[in-house]
């Protein structure tokens, strides 16, 4: 069972969240400058959760 999210702005618990995943744009940019090692840059922040409130539309990351 997932921990209940609540909006930091309005306090509503009607929120959705999803994993950010691999950052392709950052990975490509890293590849241009650092070749294969740059691809690892795309992994930065991939375990972050993006949350959005369904009440007020506030977005935040965890
Ligand atoms: Zn809200």
């Amino acid at each position: 069972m997932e921990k209940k999210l609540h909006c930091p702005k309005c306090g509503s618990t009607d929120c959705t969240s999803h994993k950010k995943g691999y950052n392709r744009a950052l990975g490509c940019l890293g590849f241009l400058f650092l070749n294969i090692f740059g691809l690892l840059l795309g992994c930065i922040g991939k375990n972050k959760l993006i949350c959005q409130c369904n009440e007020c539309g506030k977005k935040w990351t965890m």
Side-chain angles (χ1 to χ4, degrees):
M1 192 70 185
E2 227 177 298
K3 212 179 109 188
K4 263 273 188 220
L5 292 164
H6 70 271
C7 174
K9 190 178 174 189
C10 69
S12 168
T13 51
D14 187 13
C15 306
T16 49
S17 67
H18 58 94
K19 276 237 166 104
K20 201 173 177 187
Y22 185 80
N23 190 335
R24 237 180 255 219
L26 199 60
C28 287
L29 200 69
F31 187 71
L32 281 175
F33 290 102
L34 304 160
N35 288 313
I36 201 78
F37 298 107
L39 287 173
L40 297 171
L41 279 178
C43 293
I44 293 172
K46 84 179 161 99
N47 289 321
K48 276 207 168 160
L49 275 176
I50 297 179
C51 311
Q52 183 167 25
C53 176
N54 294 322
E55 290 289 324
C56 69
K58 164 98 180 147
K59 274 187 188 172
W60 70 100
T61 55
M62 291 176 43

